[in-house]
Amino acid sequence: MSYQVDFEPLGRRLRVGRGVSILTAAQQAGVGLVSICGGKGTCGRCKVQVLEGQVSPLSETEAKKLTTDEIARGYRLACQVEILSDLKVHIPPQSLTAAQRTQVEGQELTVPIVPVVVGCDVRLPPPTRKDIRSDLDRVGDHLIETLGLSDLTVDFTVLRQLSTHLREWEWSGTVGVRGREVVSFNPLGRKPLGLAVDLGTTKLAGYLVDLETGQTLAMAGAMNPQIAYGEDVMARIAYAMQGEEQAATLREAVVGAVNDLARNLCTQSSHHPEEIVEAVVVGNTAMHHLFLGLPVRQLGLAPYLPALTDALELKAREVGLEIAPGGYVHLLPIIAGFVGADHVAMILSTEIYEAEGTVLGLDIGTNTEVVLRANGRLISCSTASGPAFEGAHIKDGMRAAEGAIERLRIVASGVEYQTIGDAPPVGLCGSGVLDAVAQLRQLGVVDERGSMGDHPRVRRTEHGPEFVLVAAGEDGNGRDVVLTRGDVGEIQLAKGAIRAGINILLDEAGLSERDIDEVIIAGAFGTYIDVSSAIVIGMFPPLPLERFRQVGNAAGMGARLALISKQQRAKTAEIARRVEYIELTNDSRFVDEFAKAMYLK
Amino acid sequence: MSYQVDFEPLGRRLRVGRGVSILTAAQQAGVGLVSICGGKGTCGRCKVQVLEGQVSPLSETEAKKLTTDEIARGYRLACQVEILSDLKVHIPPQSLTAAQRTQVEGQELTVPIVPVVVGCDVRLPPPTRKDIRSDLDRVGDHLIETLGLSDLTVDFTVLRQLSTHLREWEWSGTVGVRGREVVSFNPLGRKPLGLAVDLGTTKLAGYLVDLETGQTLAMAGAMNPQIAYGEDVMARIAYAMQGEEQAATLREAVVGAVNDLARNLCTQSSHHPEEIVEAVVVGNTAMHHLFLGLPVRQLGLAPYLPALTDALELKAREVGLEIAPGGYVHLLPIIAGFVGADHVAMILSTEIYEAEGTVLGLDIGTNTEVVLRANGRLISCSTASGPAFEGAHIKDGMRAAEGAIERLRIVASGVEYQTIGDAPPVGLCGSGVLDAVAQLRQLGVVDERGSMGDHPRVRRTEHGPEFVLVAAGEDGNGRDVVLTRGDVGEIQLAKGAIRAGINILLDEAGLSERDIDEVIIAGAFGTYIDVSSAIVIGMFPPLPLERFRQVGNAAGMGARLALISKQQRAKTAEIARRVEYIELTNDSRFVDEFAKAMYLK
């Protein structure tokens, strides 16, 4: 009797026998679960949350080590729990040993720094019997004089603290002014900071920015905890549609994760979250709506309407963001139900919108957004490429974490590969899967339709053929790492969707792939892939390699640009307005193009 | 032959026979019309305004008791007038006895209605596969077309419900637009309403207003529940200074009372609080700060600085006001630590600020604000008149509730008096105390310094002399109602403070009391007092009675004006800026003037 165990948010799966402990299963799966005591239950560190499935009852040890609240929320100690059915387990970040690799970096762009919030140090004369101006006027008069502003207003939360702080800080402090509004008042010298966030379906990326210099002070990634409630956008929408409580759960999960991220960035760089006076948030339309607590029902049903498309500006406290209480969060505009603010940010930071030639842009993820700049037009679409590139639905797939094979080549002597962290191989992340399919296709082991032929490493199982990339024990790993016929099929679906999108945009512009001057590939997965492999399997058009540019997290970069420059922020509205959106589910060309594009050339 | 008589603003109607007096009709209808002399025409207190219908001609008695101006405006003495047709009669507040006795009425002023929020009905085409505008754009495009607006924004709470409501209400609804912001979305036909609130130290007054017509739909008063934590402003400040919890208690108490008031007004007029899209709140500086949760420590210590003086505009939800979640609350500007937004509102509604001659304005309460308009200047001060006029610190004092003696005259046969609700006398409210002191002073029982001489009704007690106004059991009352020497002293302090304020403002303007063309008396107490009594004791300058105008709740009236007219609202900033404030505690003239003014002439 064996059960499937699914470790979230890593997306790592394996089958184990009945009665095996979750800790043992995690170890077999190569998941780095903290376990200082070696499974005795004394350290209490291997906390996991059982999301679905049956397990043994709570032990006395667990009752001691876990809080009532944790127990209520399904937390257990992995070493104490026996698996009694198929299982879905969430591993909280603090129980993971190795950090996940999340793409946060992007190319740096230099733009003139014109932040929406400026800092101003004030040192004021204390009141006297003759100078009985109100506390706010005392500050305001100084700002009017120093910054040449008039008609100042003040955020209510700043006002509520102002009289007390002025007296505590001896009539000095640093004021954050946004347009004509005072949005922050901090002890003297604490300059206004900004926070840029890219809300991905799977991952979050955050950047702490000095608004005066435009310098990025810290950057960090985190998993999107909404994964526990649905792997892709449609699953999340379906979950939120179950009721207000479920929608609130999703909202609170992601807002909490962004708050953790902000605190983490501040700790890294010795700052305080109250110094963050402005946040720019980008994400696809569903992530954007779920973050804001907007209804998503209409987003999940044809014709897939967003609640709004324009940029939105709110007090951060209105959405529960724990930064300066008077600070704002700015959400970049959206293009359509499946082309979000992250796409706008990507178009901004890659400067595709003002490119001279014909440029194709791709932001590859669970949904892949494609944009074509041609003849002065900007045409976009979104394709459901699925989570295969995140390692999901792939037998030995996993996310890009320690032990994941991220590159491989099949040579005469066997398989050469490279793992993240140079750790013993435990599975394949997206770029590894892509390489594997490309290599097998080039060797002829896999044909155009994805069928797997004979090879010394191919073995037939009851579920079909599979190619053994690394055999158990070969390199210190505990088990085989294979690529199955089914895995090849998943990649065919994913790359077929992307290529169909590309072809429809080219058709729309009356161009062919030879006309493309440059292909810009954004996103974490896009950064790590081997472009030649992607060409071999027909995901990308067969263009000279020098026409490809891998730009990293372009959405996060765009968010940072909108944070430090009013001009850049203003451009996003223009981009959103100019993009011509093609809804592929409505498009008569899609079925044919998709069918053709699934072939491995 | 019978006629219908309609008593406004109470809305009470009845049918009476031809030739019946208005006073009799009022008594039959249960309307509490002041009538000290019992219908002889000697007290001149039962003034009413005949709005429509035929009545008997003016009597000689009336010609004596009414001013030319009153006669011109249709004022009559109810006891003298015979009803000769169907009739519509307005009862001015000063002629009303009974009721809750919270002064909410004020004179009506006619201004062009230019509300800050306008309502717009929308009926939208539902989306199709070809019309995939976002939900907000669908509404926004309609508003842009209908109202000629551009760059619309939307309140976040409206946005959060918009997609759901649009589908529930079949693509229709009534939108409230404030400037360029959508602040409310209600089912079709629910027009935007406004709420005006006067936060008094003792009482609250609320008005529900139709923002389209400017009409007051309902009005109500309530006690300020903060009274439990301190009778006057200084006691409340001291309580709030004990800690954050105490300050929060005061804030929550008053906000809760305003929410109750709003619900009550809506119930009265069959509306919903969510239809209220704008609130204007006025109050003295301490009430204003406590309502907002601003610190008050600096307000309680010299030099008594407010946190701010400018008008403040907030989302109502930020202060806990339970109206339309996207609605705003606007707080009129403040002048100084002891001259608040209520004073600004009073100056607005009485039009003192643009008066031609020399006009004195008084808003009598626990603190009395005094303003002098002279030679183009506006000069204000605030005097601590104390709670004696609310019946506090007076041996048999009470608030203006049922059974309170509100008017009295000492005659040969004893004491004639009138109680609220015509109930057996249980004590004295402010106007009764004032009458009692004035009568005793006129009879010579009390001398200039407040000492009490001999009289059959004066008895000596261990606490000093007291005058028995009503002996126990005399009129169904259970106990004596007396005025003590100590009570006279309290009134001397209170009226001394007010008169000192008046004299200092006159001195500041280089004028004497003879130069005053008009005295405007606002506030609940000011409305009910007998001006002659106030002159007898020296509280007011000895001017002809026709120069006095009792205007009721002028602060509440000002709040309503700022609610229905942008122009009126804009004037408040100008008023606050123009007022020259004199801080009496700093003023070298104050001690002398106060000492002089305590004499009962």
Side-chain angles (χ1 to χ4, degrees), chain B residues 405-410 415-417 428 432 435-436 439 469:
Chain B
I405 294 175
E406 53 174 351
R407 285 276 183 287
L408 66 81
R409 270 197 319 172
I410 300 172
V415 180
E416 285 181 0
Y417 60 87
L428 293 157
D435 276 4
Q439 292 281 302
L469 294 164

Side-chain angles (χ1 to χ4, degrees), chain A residues 165-227:
Chain A
H165 282 161
L166 275 174
R167 287 163 181 83
E168 265 174 30
W169 302 337
E170 294 176 342
W171 306 94
S172 75
T174 294
V175 179
V177 183
R178 187 183 200 268
R180 299 188 295 108
E181 183 183 359
V182 173
V183 293
S184 66
F185 188 57
N186 279 313
L188 199 62
R190 292 211 190 153
K191 296 284 178 208
L193 303 181
L195 175 71
V197 179
D198 173 28
L199 298 179
T201 310
T202 309
K203 293 169 196 160
L204 312 178
Y207 308 83
L208 187 68
V209 176
D210 181 326
L211 290 181
E212 203 170 85
T213 64
Q215 203 197 333
T216 301
L217 304 172
M219 51 179 82
M223 297 307 292
N224 185 335
Q226 292 178 335
I227 284 176

